Amino acid sequence: MLIVMKTDATQEMVDEVCTCIKKMGLKPHAMPGAQRTAIGVTGNKERVDSDMIMSQLGVREIIHVTKPFKLVSREFFPVDSIIDVDGVKIGGKEFVVMAGPCSVESREQCMVIAETIKKHGGKIFRGGAFKPRTSPYAFQGLKEEGLKILAEVRDKFGLKIITEAVDTETIDLVAKYTDMIQIGARNMQNYSLLRKAGRTKKPVLLKRGMSATLDEFLMAAEYIMAEDNKNVVLCERGVRTFADHTRNTLDLSAIPFVKRTSHLPIISDPSHGTGKRDKVIPLSRASIAVGADGLIIEVHHDPSKALSDGPQAITPDMFAELMRQMKTLAPVVDKECE
Ligand code: PEP
Ligand code: MN
């Protein structure tokens, strides 16, 4: 339920409505806007009796939200959210590129790749320190040593850092080092991890599960936001289909759907979305064209030796070309990419 206050409603009236909602055992979320304040209500299992609220001073109207997700929905919060990752703003004018290796393999590897990312205008450096691998025998990441390398990259190049948290045991350690926490496709419905990610209050990049519907995807984001963490960015990274010419099928239509249904930013991951190096630049062009707020790209200086996801890692030269194209295309879709 969404309560829309009158334009001349005072702060006391807003506070009074919030108190009334709390007395009903529900949770108010006051959202001051340019014209008027709206108050979202969560916690109700059934339709709330609105007479009591309607009788409060300053209330203009009550809108019953039809979608199962509330805090993520545009019905609740009509203005685009801009998520601030320590100064890098995602969801506004800027088209933000995050890039780096799939896994943090060594200090030297990260430094070489980070130099390329920085030089060509990437803003956030990615790299997995804890890796969720399909096989328990595959490289599982450098763990805390990897997090320390990422922190060094931030200090040396001024790039922000994103890395994945794979479980509730290690998420606090990850949060200590990183600027943005990635929740991977395999964990999209790990509700205790989502809740814990919410409680860190850090910006979270939530990747779509490989067979998740968009409602399930948005409900997963709702878990993070329900912990009073508004800093959520969504990521389309491809879903499983019958197609076998690519690793996954990058579902580009998810991007305009999410932008219409939710106020949250959404970026695209054409690396996991295709699994093929030569498809990354074309699908990046497509992603910016359909309205993505940014990209997350796997880059490796020597992809044939990468410890994970080598076939989809683009080379530094390809990254330079990708950024050149994004800078050219951004103004066409009213974005900026420097
Ligand atoms: C990754 O970003 O390296 C990764 C494991 O991604 P996903 O969760 O989308 O598979
Ligand atoms: Mn990867």
Side-chain angles (χ1 to χ4, degrees), residues 236-284:
E236 165 57 40
R237 49 78 72 206
V239 290
R240 279 277 164 84
T241 68
F242 54 83
D244 57 4
H245 64 291
T246 49
R247 179 179 178 186
N248 293 294
T249 297
L250 189 66
D251 181 9
L252 286 171
S253 68
I255 292 170
F257 177 92
V258 165
K259 299 254 10 141
R260 202 191 62 220
T261 317
S262 173
H263 54 87
L264 294 175
I266 179 163
I267 67 165
S268 171
D269 175 352
S271 304
H272 295 87
T274 65
K276 305 257 159 104
R277 179 175 310 123
D278 65 316
K279 311 267 182 310
V280 172
I281 295 179
L283 271 295
S284 296

Side-chain angles (χ1 to χ4, degrees), residues 102 126 131-132 164 182 184-186 207 237 269 272 298 309:
C102 178
R126 64 145 291 149
K131 291 305 299 175
E164 181 168 352
Q182 177 175 324
R186 290 158 191 79
K207 297 187 104 183
R237 49 78 72 206
D269 175 352
H272 295 87
E298 289 190 344
D309 287 350

Side-chain angles (χ1 to χ4, degrees), residues 3-31:
I3 300 158
V4 182
M5 301 298 288
K6 291 180 179 157
T7 41
D8 58 357
T10 62
Q11 186 58 44
E12 287 71 40
M13 291 174 185
V14 173
D15 292 344
E16 201 49 50
V17 174
C18 289
T19 307
C20 169
I21 293 162
K22 283 185 201 152
K23 279 193 191 139
M24 294 165 89
L26 305 172
K27 193 168 174 186
H29 306 261
M31 299 177 277

Side-chain angles (χ1 to χ4, degrees), residues 214-231:
L214 294 180
D215 272 14
E216 288 163 344
F217 188 23
L218 293 172
M219 287 306 279
E222 186 84 17
Y223 267 87
I224 301 169
M225 293 193 79
E227 296 296 329
D228 285 328
N229 187 346
K230 296 189 170 61
N231 306 311

Side-chain angles (χ1 to χ4, degrees), residues 109-122:
Q109 172 233 24
C110 282
M111 294 300 159
V112 171
I113 299 171
E115 193 169 1
T116 292
I117 307 304
K118 176 75 182 180
K119 182 169 164 208
H120 298 290

Side-chain angles (χ1 to χ4, degrees), residues 46-119:
E46 285 143 28
R47 206 176 159 99
V48 179
D49 173 17
S50 33
D51 289 355
M52 171 112 129
I53 294 164
M54 215 43 222
S55 66
Q56 300 289 312
L57 291 177
V59 174
R60 197 183 83 128
E61 64 174 318
I62 290 179
I63 300 169
H64 289 280
V65 176
T66 50
K67 299 278 190 304
F69 32 84
K70 298 179 191 299
L71 301 174
V72 306
S73 81
R74 241 188 223 286
E75 280 182 296
F76 241 65
F77 195 71
V79 181
D80 283 349
S81 281
I82 298 177
I83 309 305
D84 189 334
V85 183
D86 195 21
V88 175
K89 296 194 169 60
I90 309 174
K93 261 285 200 207
E94 194 180 348
F95 185 77
V96 177
V97 178
M98 312 181 184
C102 178
S103 299
V104 174
E105 298 169 5
S106 70
R107 196 177 168 278
E108 295 62 40
Q109 172 233 24
C110 282
M111 294 300 159
V112 171
I113 299 171
E115 193 169 1
T116 292
I117 307 304
K118 176 75 182 180
K119 182 169 164 208

